[in-house]
Amino acid sequence: MKEYLDDINKAFESKVRLGIMSMLMVNDEVEFNTFKEMLGLTDGNLASHLKTLEGLGYIDVKKQFVDRKPRTTYSRSPAGEQAFKVHLQALEALIRQTAD
Amino acid sequence: MKEYLDDINKAFESKVRLGIMSMLMVNDEVEFNTFKEMLGLTDGNLASHLKTLEGLGYIDVKKQFVDRKPRTTYSRSPAGEQAFKVHLQALEALIRQTAD
């Protein structure tokens, strides 16, 4: 059991970050407001979680102007994709062992 | 995706509590020191997580003397078992959706 727990990444512990990464695994790009709606978060709460993931190099941020309005989109980085896969595999192994 | 996240229980977010509950799902009783060894924790850190789970009614605590030495064992409560199952199912659904 310990070996699975070692692979569980503290960066993805929080359910918000679990949600953010899950969305980024199935979408190449996600807008700030889409996260807000899907995860039911305040701007401040969401921004701080995104900052943490960005600081760890797990997500990339793109800021651009569309019809003169600022648009911020996020995507998973290769390192983020790899780290999250390891995390999910560890969760799956823990769940399988718990279900047996 | 939001519906899965709603079922993810903040009480089990931390990887330590995930480990504690996983161990209690596959063992009817676990001693304090067994948790310490399996999860590689300090007394204080482990005690505070156990206190949180106990406070939520998710685990039961039994204190007894064996050969005049104090022995504290923990077990999952029916509420804890049910809550953790819902949590694991939500994680599984999120993982499945992420893998597709």
Side-chain angles (χ1 to χ4, degrees):
Chain A
M1 190 166 281
K2 177 127 181 34
E3 67 280 21
Y4 306 140
L5 288 168
D6 289 344
D7 282 346
I8 287 180
N9 189 328
K10 269 197 165 295
F12 307 131
E13 259 183 352
S14 108
K15 110 177 178 172
V16 169
R17 283 185 235 142
L18 201 61
I20 288 169
M21 289 305 290
S22 298
M23 288 173 70
L24 289 177
M25 291 294 274
V26 296
N27 300 283
D28 287 337
E29 255 189 12
V30 178
E31 276 194 62
F32 187 88
N33 288 334
T34 311
F35 280 129
K36 253 181 75 177
E37 280 148 37
M38 285 291 278
L39 303 173
L41 296 168
T42 63
D43 284 31
N45 190 6
L46 175 58
S48 85
H49 282 292
L50 289 167
K51 203 124 206 80
T52 300
L53 291 170
E54 191 191 345
L56 290 164
Y58 287 156
I59 64 173
D60 296 321
V61 191
K62 198 163 68 178
K63 298 188 187 239
Q64 50 190 164
F65 278 89
V66 176
D67 307 331
R68 276 179 283 158
K69 271 191 262 154
R71 185 168 172 266
T72 305
T73 52
Y74 300 85
S75 54
R76 64 187 182 276
S77 69
E81 179 163 342
Q82 179 52 24
F84 195 59
K85 276 185 179 163
V86 168
H87 179 74
L88 292 186
Q89 280 154 12
L91 282 179
E92 263 182 321
L94 205 72
I95 290 167
R96 249 198 324 275
Q97 202 181 42
T98 305
D100 296 351
Chain B
M1 190 167 282
K2 177 130 178 34
E3 67 280 20
Y4 307 140
L5 287 168
D6 289 345
D7 282 346
I8 286 179
N9 190 328
K10 270 196 164 297
F12 307 131
E13 257 183 353
S14 105
K15 116 177 174 170
V16 169
R17 282 184 236 146
L18 200 61
I20 288 168
M21 288 306 289
S22 298
M23 287 173 72
L24 289 178
M25 290 295 273
V26 296
N27 299 283
D28 286 336
E29 257 188 12
V30 178
E31 276 194 59
F32 187 88
N33 287 334
T34 310
F35 279 129
K36 254 180 73 177
E37 280 148 35
M38 285 291 279
L39 303 173
L41 297 168
T42 62
D43 285 31
N45 189 4
L46 175 57
S48 85
H49 282 291
L50 290 167
K51 204 123 204 83
T52 299
L53 290 170
E54 191 190 346
L56 291 164
Y58 286 157
I59 63 173
D60 297 320
V61 190
K62 198 162 68 179
K63 297 188 187 239
Q64 51 191 162
F65 279 88
V66 177
D67 308 331
R68 278 178 284 159
K69 271 191 265 158
R71 185 170 173 264
T72 306
T73 53
Y74 299 84
S75 54
R76 63 188 183 277
S77 69
E81 178 163 342
Q82 180 49 27
F84 195 59
K85 275 185 180 162
V86 168
H87 179 74
L88 291 186
Q89 280 154 11
L91 282 179
E92 261 182 322
L94 204 73
I95 290 168
R96 247 198 324 273
Q97 202 181 39
T98 305
D100 294 350

